[in-house]
Amino acid sequence: MPVVLVLLVTLPLAATIACAAVSQRVAAVVSALTGVITLVLAVVLVPGALEHTQYALRYLRADPLSVVFVLGTCFLYAATAIYSVGYLAAEARAVRDESVEQQIRFARHSRQFYLGLNAFAWSMICAPLVNELALLWIAVEITTVVSALLVALDNTEGATEAAWKYVLIASSGLGIALLATIFMYYAGSQVLGQSYDLAFDPLMRGAAHLPHTAVRLAFVLAVVGYGTKVGLFPVHTWLPDAHAEAPTPVSALLSGSLLAVSFYAILRYYRISVVPLGPRFPQTVLLVFGVLSLLLAALYLLEQRDIKRMLAYSSVEHMGILAIGVSFGAPIALSGVLLHVLAHAAAKGNAFMGAGVLVRKFGTKELGRMADGIRLLPWSGPLFLIAVLALSAMPPFGLFRSEFLIIAGGLAHGHNAAAAALVCLVTLAFLGVTLATTRILFRTEPATLTTASLELVRGEPSRWMVTPVVGGVLVLLLLGLAPPSDLVQLLNHAAGDLAAGLR
C-alpha cells in the first residue's frame, strides 16, 4: 500500500511534466490514461485503509476519511480527462481552416490546458494524503495557484477578471487558514513540545489536553479560511464567476473536487477540536455557516440566467448541506456527509459536462437562448436532465441516499428545526434548478430567438463528451441503489472516526 500512495502523488505530476513537451493528441492520451490509472489506484487503496492507516515516506498518510476524498477527486480526474478529448477536438476543428498563427496559438493553449489539468488533479490528490496540517495548507494553496491559472486560460476579459477575483479572495481566506495552522501549532506545542511537526497522529493523541482558547480560535479561523475555498457564505463570492468563466472540465473539477478537498481540511480541524472543546461549539459554527450558505444558494437559484452560474450556486447549496450534516454529529449523518461528497462529485461533474455540451451546441451560456435541448442532443439532453435530478436528491440516485441519511441523523439527535430547514431550503433550490432545466430542454423555442438558434441540427458535438457522463450516471445509480460493501465500511469507519471525539 505505501507504493500505491507514492504512485497516486507521482503519476499526475509525471503527466504534468510530460504534457509540457508533447503534442495535444499525446497530451490527451497521457491525461486520460493517468486519470484512469489513478482512479484504479484509489479503489485499490480502500481495502488497506479499512485495515489500518497507511503511511509512506513519512509525509504521506491515508485513513478512511482521506481515501473518501481521494476517490471523489480521482473519479473526476478520469472523467474530465476523457471529456477533454472531445472538448478540445471541437476547438481543433474550428481552427483547422484558420491561419497558421491561430493554429499555433491553439496548440499552445491545448498544452497549457492539459498541463494545468494534471497539475490541478495532482494538488487535489495530495491534499487529503499529506500527514501534517502545515502540508495540508500548502497543498490547498497550490490548488489555488493552479486553478486560478486555469480559470484565466481562455484569456477573455471575463475569465481574467474572475481569476483575479478568485486569487484575491482565496488568498485572503488561505491567509486566515494559515493563522488557524499557527494557532493549532501553538496549542499542540503546549502539550507535545515546540519541536513537534503538526502531524495528525501525535496531535490527536494529545488533543484532550490542548488549551481550549487556542483550539477554539484555530477552528473558527479554519472554517472561515478554508471555507473561502469551500464556498461557504459570506466568503463565496469568487465561486460563481470562476465556475462560469473556467473551461468546462475545470469547472467540473472546481465544483466536484476542489470544494470538497477544502471541506476535508475543515473536517481535520473539526476532528481535533471536538476532543478538548466538546461537540457543541464546533457544531454550532458549522450549522450557522451551513444554513446561511444553503439559504443564499436556494434564493439565487430561483433567478439565474447563466447555466454555469446556476450550477455554481448549486455547489454552494451542497457545501451548505455538508456543513449542516456535520453539525448534526450523528454517525449516520456523518456517513451521509461522506457519501454526499462522492455522489456530489459524480452528479456535479455530470452536470457541468452536460452544460458544456449545451454551451457548445447553442454557442451561449445564457439560459434564455437555449431551448429544445432534449431533441437537439439525443444523449446529452437526457443525461443533463438525469444529472439535475440527481443533484436535486431524487431517487434512486446517490444524493437521495446521502441526504436521507443526513436528515435521519439530524432527527435522531434532536436537531428537528435544522433538519426541517434543510428540507425546506433544498426543496426551494430544487424548484430553481428544475425550472431552468425544463425550459432549456423541453420548450420548443428560446426566449431570445436568434438566427443561429433556428439553424441548429440534431446531434452530439463529440462522443468523448458523452462517455464519461454515462459513467457518472452508473456511479450515481450504484451509490443510490447498492453501494459496494467495502465502500459502505469505508464511509462508516470514517464517520466513526469523526464521531469518536463526541463520545
Side-chain angles (χ1 to χ4, degrees), residues 137-463:
W137 181 87
I138 292 171
V140 175
E141 180 66 63
I142 293 172
T143 68
T144 303
V145 175
V146 177
S147 56
L149 293 173
L150 285 169
V151 169
L153 188 62
D154 286 344
N155 201 29
T156 63
E157 183 178 341
T160 304
E161 180 182 349
W164 273 112
K165 185 176 182 180
Y166 172 35
V167 168
L168 290 173
I169 296 175
S171 296
S172 300
L174 287 174
I176 296 172
L178 180 59
L179 282 177
T181 308
I182 293 170
F183 274 109
M184 192 60 78
Y185 173 80
Y186 167 79
S189 68
Q190 305 304 300
V191 177
L192 303 170
Q194 295 185 2
S195 62
Y196 91 106
D197 58 3
L198 281 170
F200 295 136
D201 293 337
L203 202 52
M204 285 307 308
R205 286 195 294 268
H209 306 290
L210 296 178
H212 290 195
T213 301
V215 173
R216 191 176 287 111
L217 278 170
F219 179 73
V220 173
L221 290 170
V223 172
V224 175
Y226 287 114
T228 304
K229 293 291 295 290
V230 176
L232 296 177
F233 175 87
V235 285
H236 68 284
T237 50
W238 65 270
L239 191 150
D241 294 326
H243 286 55
E245 296 297 336
T248 295
V250 177
S251 297
L253 283 169
L254 282 169
S255 188
S257 184
L258 177 65
L259 306 187
V261 166
S262 304
F263 190 74
Y264 165 83
I266 293 176
L267 289 181
R268 284 298 180 193
Y269 278 85
Y270 172 83
R271 177 66 183 88
I272 296 167
S273 300
V274 293
V275 177
L277 302 179
R280 184 172 181 179
F281 176 78
Q283 289 175 2
T284 301
V285 171
L286 289 174
L287 180 63
V288 170
F289 277 94
V291 170
L292 291 176
S293 301
L294 186 51
L295 175 61
L296 170 106
L299 294 175
Y300 269 93
L301 283 169
L302 292 174
E303 53 179 27
Q304 281 306 305
R305 299 179 180 178
D306 183 297
I307 188 170
K308 293 182 75 175
R309 290 180 70 89
M310 177 185 75
L311 295 176
Y313 277 108
S314 172
S315 297
V316 176
E317 171 206 353
H318 285 278
M319 294 304 106
I321 292 171
L322 294 182
I324 294 171
V326 176
S327 77
F328 290 159
I332 187 174
L334 294 171
S335 293
V337 165
L338 297 174
L339 177 61
H340 201 90
V341 168
L342 297 176
H344 178 257
K348 190 55 63 64
N350 272 13
F352 267 110
M353 288 187 283
V357 176
L358 288 163
V359 171
R360 184 61 53 83
K361 188 70 172 180
F362 292 99
T364 180
K365 291 181 286 189
E366 294 181 27
L367 293 169
R369 295 172 62 185
M370 297 180 181
D372 207 15
I374 206 77
R375 181 185 65 83
L376 292 171
L377 296 164
W379 281 91
S380 295
L383 287 171
F384 182 74
L385 177 62
I386 291 172
V388 168
L389 291 176
L391 283 173
S392 303
M394 296 295 286
F397 303 107
L399 287 167
F400 170 78
R401 178 186 284 263
S402 65
E403 291 188 21
F404 181 85
L405 293 175
I406 291 170
I407 293 168
L411 294 175
H413 274 225
H415 300 281
N416 298 339
L422 174 59
V423 172
C424 293
L425 292 175
V426 166
T427 303
L428 186 62
F430 163 77
L431 291 174
V433 174
T434 51
L435 282 173
T437 303
T438 301
R439 293 191 188 105
I440 63 179
L441 292 182
F442 294 104
R443 67 182 172 189
T444 56
E445 292 184 355
T448 306
L449 196 62
T450 63
T451 304
S453 63
L454 296 174
E455 298 174 351
L456 293 174
V457 295
R458 189 172 185 267
E460 300 287 339
S462 170
R463 65 179 181 275

Side-chain angles (χ1 to χ4, degrees), residues 482-499:
S485 58
D486 278 358
L487 179 61
V488 173
Q489 291 181 54
L490 184 78
L491 299 174
N492 290 338
H493 281 210
D497 184 55
L498 284 173

